Amino acid sequence: MAKNRTFNRRNILIIIVVILLAATGLTGKLVYLIIFKTEDYAARAKALHERERPIKAERGSIYDINGVEIATNKPVCTISVIHSQIKEPERVIKVLSEELGLSEAAVRKRVEKYTSIERIKSNVNKEIADRIREYKLDGVMVDEDYKRYYPYGSLASKVIGFTGSDNQGVIGLEVKYEDYLKGINGTILTLTTAYGVEIENAAEDRITPQPGNDLYLSLDVNIQKYAEQAAYKVMEAKSADNVKLIVMNPKNGELYAMVNAPEFDLNNPYNLINEIARDYIGETLSSEKLHELLNGMWRNACISDTYEPGSAFKIVTSTAAFEEDVLKLDDRFFCPGYKRVEDRIIRCHKAGGHGSQSFVEGIKNSCNPVFMEVGARVGVEKTYEYYKKLGLFSRTGVDIPGEANSIMHNIDNIGAVELATMAFGQSFQITPLQLLTAASAIINGGTLVTPHFGIEIRSPEGRTVKTLKYDTTENVVSKETSETMKQLLEAVVTDGTGRRAYLPGFRVGGKTATSEKLPRRTGKYISSFIGFAPADDPQVIALVLIDEPVGIYYGGTIAAPVIADLFDNILPYMGIEAKYTEEELKKYQVGTFVVPDFIGKTKKEMKDLLKIYDFGDIYSLGDGDIVTEQFPLPGDSVNRESGLVLYY
């Protein structure tokens, strides 16, 4: 009996001790929670009863070199629904589908979805959003938002790029400088019950969004307009597939313009342009095909596509030869119209040949046999050494995404034939911007620059956040060779294949090119011209490529005038004044007459008409009897003694 009482006392004692220990532990835990974790659990409780709605940050603007705004924002709204707060679902569905132009099925799917908040539509015009507000629909949220807007529509579309529905950059500068432009989104915090119902008269917390920084470019809206005007003019006249035109400062790599005609509308980037859509009229495009066409439309071919540069590349071949001291200006060459290299006969563009000529005459005539000989003198290893120095084995580093690299022979696979064709710009491929960058180094005294658009990042208040820097490499070409090349290329314009780029009062240098596209013998060409001015101290360099022109396709005939037209507009705009020589003052009366329309005239009629006008050299091409094309084009203003090309 006594033994049982002792046992019971022990059990009771154990239970009491356990209870005391548990009570002590719980009391300690309670003290810890009340004293040390109060703020944390208060924040958790608040978060449980708060609903977050994002406030988009205003994206930074993009400005040209003169401070002209070329990408900005328009105030729009985002319409969302909160399922737990909707009292009249059918009315909400009806109103939103009618006002937003959506199907009732699509709206119903979102309205009936059990989520804390469901977006119905973004980028809604303020007028429509204000009408929706007036319905005072429970559970329908109308939040302020921003939509990217481009005041100049299609201007420089493939350079500037555009943003998606989430206001993030998709292509071009918009995506390259995304981290600077995007800003930091804010939040609206609304108190709700445990069931997610908004508490009436409860104050909202608001985390204010921070707007993005602004981007300032070297692009000049006016030069871009002039360049696009010149590109579209020749594209129409020649029924070309497309025209590319780049304008750059050769001294520092600042890009003033970059045209990829036809451009697309930045405010409607998912609408196919007419030039593409017309080929698919009546067809229902699959999503894959549409995506393919849109990517092609957005593609910046100036940096993403490669091509054989043709005779414009003779600038590089000449430079390498002068640097290696294997060429003199008065060296003599003979051109019978072709050159035999191993088992191949490679022809000159002039069927009968140029005969005996100095190198100066050879470059003015753009004679292929001359440059095949010059390339052979330089040799394979030295040729590639100068390609590398001039940046032709690497991307230029331009600040636009999607840049391609050159396609070159493996040095071990280059024989005499390959070396010969490379000397005049065939059998390898580079991008237009690579050629422009290499040519800039050749004429600017020997400094390889990085082409670029971005200049500076500024805060919304105008404070400089970052000045953008770019790499340069000096002495890739000697100053002596640079001076020689400037003089030679000016001679090409004053008295060679590039004379249709001649501008009285301005010293222009340049080089023509006519490249046959691959595969050969399809009759498809790229006509191009690279030009710079003033020739003695280049302030601007430009390259135009006319892809698949119809009819006359020679670079000197149709591409050189494009650069002349461009320079005629932008040189005075840039503050470069015309300085006429005595000879020019006597010979030219600048802009004295408008070119008549000769299309449809017979050879007999033209013989009489040409007695009336003060044209200089007149070139008649083709075997027909009726004029089908002419350059300059009808309506162009030209100088007295300007050349005229007629195609019969």
Side-chain angles (χ1 to χ4, degrees), residues 336-504:
Y338 64 91
K339 183 175 177 63
R340 185 181 293 277
V341 181
E342 293 184 340
D343 61 342
R344 293 270 301 277
I345 292 177
I346 305 174
R347 301 191 180 281
C348 183
H349 67 87
K350 187 175 181 181
H354 294 100
S356 178
Q357 59 191 328
S358 68
F359 178 74
V360 175
E361 293 168 323
I363 194 169
K364 289 196 290 187
N365 293 329
S366 196
C367 178
N368 285 350
V370 168
F371 282 88
M372 286 188 266
E373 170 62 28
V374 171
R377 292 184 187 183
V378 176
V380 174
E381 289 186 5
K382 286 297 180 180
T383 291
Y384 263 34
E385 183 180 313
Y386 286 99
Y387 285 8
K388 186 175 181 180
K389 282 185 177 182
L390 292 168
L392 296 170
F393 281 118
S394 56
R395 295 174 177 86
T396 66
V398 65
D399 53 345
I400 307 176
E403 184 180 15
N405 202 354
S406 56
I407 303 171
M408 295 283 188
H409 291 288
N410 184 309
I411 193 168
D412 296 330
N413 298 330
I414 300 176
V417 173
E418 289 76 20
L419 183 60
T421 55
M422 287 164 59
F424 57 86
Q426 284 189 6
S427 76
F428 65 93
Q429 296 192 14
I430 58 176
T431 68
L433 192 58
Q434 282 180 313
L435 176 62
L436 195 71
T437 304
S440 293
I442 290 168
I443 64 165
N444 72 9
T447 300
L448 186 66
V449 298
T450 300
H452 60 274
F453 282 103
I455 299 293
E456 196 172 54
I457 308 295
R458 296 185 195 171
S459 70
E461 299 76 33
R463 175 179 54 84
T464 299
V465 174
K466 184 175 184 179
T467 299
L468 301 169
K469 303 290 185 183
Y470 301 91
D471 293 335
T472 59
T473 306
E474 296 183 353
N475 302 319
V476 297
V477 172
S478 68
K479 286 181 169 50
E480 294 75 17
T481 294
S482 182
E483 288 299 318
T484 299
M485 289 307 301
K486 285 189 292 184
Q487 293 168 18
L488 286 170
L489 295 172
E490 185 178 12
V492 170
V493 172
T494 56
D495 191 31
T497 56
R499 54 184 168 271
R500 298 211 59 217
Y502 179 77
L503 280 177

Side-chain angles (χ1 to χ4, degrees), residues 107 141 155 473 477 513 525-527:
V107 176
M141 302 291 113
L155 190 83
T473 306
V477 172
Y525 294 86
I526 295 176
S527 305

Side-chain angles (χ1 to χ4, degrees), residues 607-618:
K607 188 175 180 181
D608 296 329
L609 283 170
L610 292 174
K611 294 175 183 176
I612 303 171
Y613 298 99
D614 294 325
F615 286 107
D617 295 329
I618 298 170

Side-chain angles (χ1 to χ4, degrees), residues 1-11:
M1 190 76 173
K3 186 177 180 181
N4 288 338
R5 281 200 300 270
T6 303
F7 180 77
N8 288 337
R9 285 197 195 106
R10 191 171 61 213
N11 287 346

